[in-house]
Amino acid sequence: MQKGTETNGNGGVQVAGSMPAVNIGIEEDDRKAVAEGLSRFLSDAFTLYLKTHNFHWNVTGQMFNTLHVMFETQYTEQWGALDDIAERIRALGFNAPGSYAEFIRLSSLPEEPGLTETIDWREMVRQLVTGNEGVCRTARSVLNRADEAGDDPTVDLMTQRLQTHEKYAWMLRSLLQ
């Protein structure tokens, strides 16, 4: 054995001072593909969180109280979920994106520019329906890839997020009917 190396207990060798190899029963290529999907999902979820919070601050009109409370409930729940997503990426052995630049590059959702004029509450709700549906599509893609890789914790996480975002889309959509 080379100087500065040791066995990692799984028959593998690691360089002293380096991170131990990830050996959770999912091949590295599969873990990487799932982590990349989760990074896209995290970026979509963060973009939606920020948009929901923005609209909470800037909603006006006859639906102010209802939407102000609804948006706060949603962004508060979304904020907590972001940590679970990032921690799953880390558990798979990869770094989670964490900058606006990374989120913008990875997200499929358009960023809402700062508002110089308040948009109508109906447009806010429409954009949040579209955003939640977009997050659902990304979650479904990650769920399918995780299922192929035998990554049950990610499948479970994506199932939970799908259920939440489908519910949010339905609730918001019902306001426009």
Side-chain angles (χ1 to χ4, degrees):
M1 191 177 306
Q2 295 178 342
K3 182 179 177 185
T5 63
E6 56 188 62
T7 61
N8 65 9
N10 296 316
V13 175
Q14 73 182 61
V15 176
S18 69
M19 289 282 294
V22 176
N23 184 9
I24 60 173
I26 302 171
E27 295 297 323
E28 183 175 359
D29 289 346
D30 288 331
R31 285 187 296 104
K32 183 177 182 183
V34 172
E36 287 171 351
L38 282 168
S39 293
R40 289 189 305 278
F41 180 77
L42 178 62
S43 299
D44 281 355
F46 187 88
T47 301
L48 180 61
Y49 156 80
L50 193 58
K51 185 178 287 202
T52 305
H53 210 147
N54 175 2
F55 291 164
H56 164 79
W57 288 328
N58 291 298
V59 67
T60 60
Q62 66 190 27
M63 293 292 290
F64 170 80
N65 193 54
T66 300
L67 292 178
H68 189 73
V69 171
M70 179 185 255
F71 294 165
E72 182 175 21
T73 299
Q74 290 182 7
Y75 80 68
T76 300
E77 187 281 331
Q78 291 168 0
W79 179 254
L82 294 172
D83 198 51
D84 291 338
I85 300 160
E87 288 178 355
R88 184 65 196 148
I89 295 167
R90 294 296 297 140
L92 290 169
F94 298 91
N95 287 337
S99 71
Y100 289 122
E102 288 174 298
F103 289 147
I104 290 167
R105 180 177 55 81
L106 292 168
S107 182
S108 67
L109 304 181
E111 182 185 27
E112 183 63 33
L115 300 174
T116 56
E117 294 181 27
T118 302
I119 60 174
D120 182 71
W121 68 266
R122 289 170 198 82
E123 178 59 16
M124 290 179 176
V125 169
R126 187 198 65 72
Q127 286 187 32
L128 292 178
V129 168
T130 300
N132 277 283
E133 290 174 343
V135 167
C136 287
R137 289 188 298 275
T138 303
R140 240 176 255 296
S141 172
V142 176
L143 186 150
N144 290 335
R145 183 62 183 99
D147 191 40
E148 290 170 6
D151 181 355
D152 295 333
T154 299
V155 169
D156 183 54
L157 178 61
M158 291 297 95
T159 300
Q160 292 173 36
R161 299 313 307 153
L162 268 168
Q163 185 175 17
T164 297
H165 289 288
E166 285 179 353
K167 181 177 179 179
Y168 288 169
W170 156 66
M171 293 171 80
L172 289 160
R173 194 179 308 108
S174 70
L175 293 168
L176 300 174
Q177 296 174 340

